[in-house]
Amino acid sequence: MKQFSVLIHSVVEVLLFIQLFYFVPKCRADCEIHEPANPNNTKRETELLNIIKPLTGLVFDVKDAIAPTEFTYKISICGHIEGNAPHVAAVQYTKDNKSYSLGMNNNVNIMGGTDWILLSYYGGSAYGHHCNSTERVTQIMIICDPDVVKGKLEILEERKSTHHSNCYYLFELNSNVSCIPKKSEVVPNKLSSGSVFCILFFTVVSVYLICGFLYKRIVIGAKGLEQIPNYSFWRDFGNLQADGCDYICRWGPRQESQAYRGIDDHLKMDEERDDQLLNM
C-alpha cells in the first residue's frame, strides 16, 4: 500500500511538471518584425535577421562612457534580459537601482548595407519629461570587422530632447556577420590548369595500375610482384635512366686499356725472335 501511494505521488509530480512546462508563458529568443508594411521589405529584413543569427541570444554589459557613474546597460541581440518583462531586449540601470526598458525583441526593425546592419528595438519605457513622453528606442549599429564575431559593444549616444520625439540610444558593435560581400566581388571557384593536369595525371595512373593489376592477376594468373603492370620495364627503369644519362652527358669516345693481347700480336713477337736467332 505504501509503495502504491509513492507511485501515485510520483505520477502527480510528473503531470504537474508537464503542465508547468507547457502552460507557463515563454519568452521568445528571436527578433520579430513589428507589422511589416511592404512584402519586399519583409523579405530583406528576414535575410538580415538570418545573417545576424550567430549573435542571437548574446548579452552585453555596457558602461556609459559619457556618464560612467550614472548608467549601465544590458543589451541582448534578439534575446531576452533575465529579470525583466517578456521580450525586453535592452535595459538601462541607474545608480539608484532603477531600470528602464529600452526596447522589445518582438518590435524590431532592421536594415543593412554591404558593411553594416542597423538593428532597432522599439516599445521601451516612456520618457517622463523628454521626447514628448514617447517610448524609448534602441539602435544597434553592427559594423563590419572581419577579425571578430563578437566584438565590443559600446554606447555612442543617447539622443533626447525636451520638444522633439526623435530620440534613441545608439550602440555600436563590431562583428564579421555584417561583412556582406558585393555580388560583383563573388568570384566562382575555378580550378587552375595545374590542378586539372594533376587530377588527370593521377586518374590515368590509377586506372593503369588497377586495370593492369586485375588483368595480370585474373587473366594471366600472376602472383606477387609479377602482378604489377609491366613489371620488367619498371624493374629496369633505373638502369635505363642511368644508360640514357651516360649517353647524353659523356660525348667523347672511351679509351680502354687492353687487358690481353690478340693472337696476331703473339705471332709477330715470335717471328721477330726467330729472325734474331738466325742472324746469330
Side-chain angles (χ1 to χ4, degrees):
M1 189 68 181
K2 184 178 180 181
Q3 294 178 351
F4 181 75
S5 61
V6 172
L7 178 62
I8 295 297
H9 183 71
S10 301
V11 171
V12 171
E13 288 182 348
V14 171
L15 292 176
L16 289 175
F17 174 78
I18 295 174
Q19 184 177 6
L20 290 173
F21 181 79
Y22 281 100
F23 292 98
V24 171
K26 303 177 183 61
C27 301
R28 293 181 60 89
D30 296 332
C31 285
E32 299 179 32
I33 307 299
H34 181 64
E35 296 181 359
N38 190 335
N40 294 330
N41 292 344
T42 303
K43 181 179 179 181
R44 174 60 177 167
E45 290 170 343
T46 302
E47 292 176 354
L48 293 173
L49 288 177
N50 289 331
I51 289 173
I52 65 172
K53 278 287 186 181
L55 301 175
T56 298
L58 295 178
V59 178
F60 298 86
D61 294 314
V62 182
K63 291 185 178 181
D64 195 336
I66 302 173
T69 60
E70 294 291 333
F71 305 109
T72 57
Y73 303 88
K74 278 188 177 294
I75 308 297
S76 176
I77 306 299
C78 291
H80 171 255
I81 304 299
E82 296 293 336
N84 294 272
H87 302 290
V88 174
V91 180
Q92 180 190 54
Y93 299 94
T94 63
K95 64 179 180 179
D96 52 357
N97 295 324
K98 291 183 179 179
S99 62
Y100 299 94
S101 170
L102 304 185
M104 318 289 285
N105 65 8
N106 63 344
N107 191 354
V108 168
N109 184 28
I110 189 170
M111 62 182 68
T114 57
D115 57 357
W116 60 272
I117 294 176
L118 181 62
L119 178 66
S120 301
Y121 296 138
Y122 297 92
S125 302
Y127 285 97
H129 304 287
H130 302 281
C131 305
N132 293 332
S133 299
T134 58
E135 296 177 340
R136 287 173 169 83
V137 176
T138 296
Q139 296 182 346
I140 304 173
M141 179 68 73
I142 305 175
I143 305 296
C144 172
D145 187 347
D147 299 328
V148 295
V149 177
K150 176 188 174 182
K152 184 178 180 181
L153 183 69
E154 296 179 342
I155 182 170
L156 300 182
E157 179 185 8
E158 178 190 359
R159 180 174 180 178
K160 61 182 180 179
S161 174
T162 305
H163 305 289
H164 300 284
S165 59
N166 186 20
C167 302
Y168 54 81
Y169 294 81
L170 180 61
F171 295 84
E172 182 181 78
L173 173 64
N174 297 332
S175 176
N176 58 11
V177 300
S178 60
C179 301
I180 306 172
K182 298 179 181 178
K183 294 182 178 180
S184 59
E185 295 177 351
V186 178
V187 180
N189 187 13
K190 294 183 179 180
L191 293 175
S192 62
S193 57
S195 300
V196 174
F197 172 78
C198 290
I199 292 173
L200 292 177
F201 174 78
F202 287 109
T203 301
V204 171
V205 171
S206 300
V207 171
Y208 163 75
L209 292 175
I210 294 173
C211 294
F213 173 83
L214 294 176
Y215 174 79
K216 297 196 70 176
R217 181 179 179 86
I218 298 174
V219 178
I220 300 178
K223 300 294 183 180
L225 295 177
E226 296 296 332
Q227 299 175 92
I228 300 175
N230 303 107
Y231 173 69
S232 59
F233 170 78
W234 297 115
R235 182 183 59 191
D236 299 333
F237 186 69
N239 295 331
L240 294 175
Q241 285 184 319
D243 294 340
C245 180
D246 183 63
Y247 176 78
I248 294 174
C249 298
R250 298 176 182 174
W251 292 92
R254 294 185 179 181
Q255 295 180 357
E256 297 180 355
S257 59
Q258 296 182 355
Y260 61 92
R261 294 181 179 179
I263 297 176
D264 294 339
D265 296 336
H266 285 286
L267 292 175
K268 289 180 180 180
M269 290 178 64
D270 293 338
E271 291 177 356
E272 291 177 355
R273 290 177 181 176
D274 292 343
D275 293 339
Q276 291 179 357
L277 291 173
L278 290 174
N279 293 331
M280 292 176 63

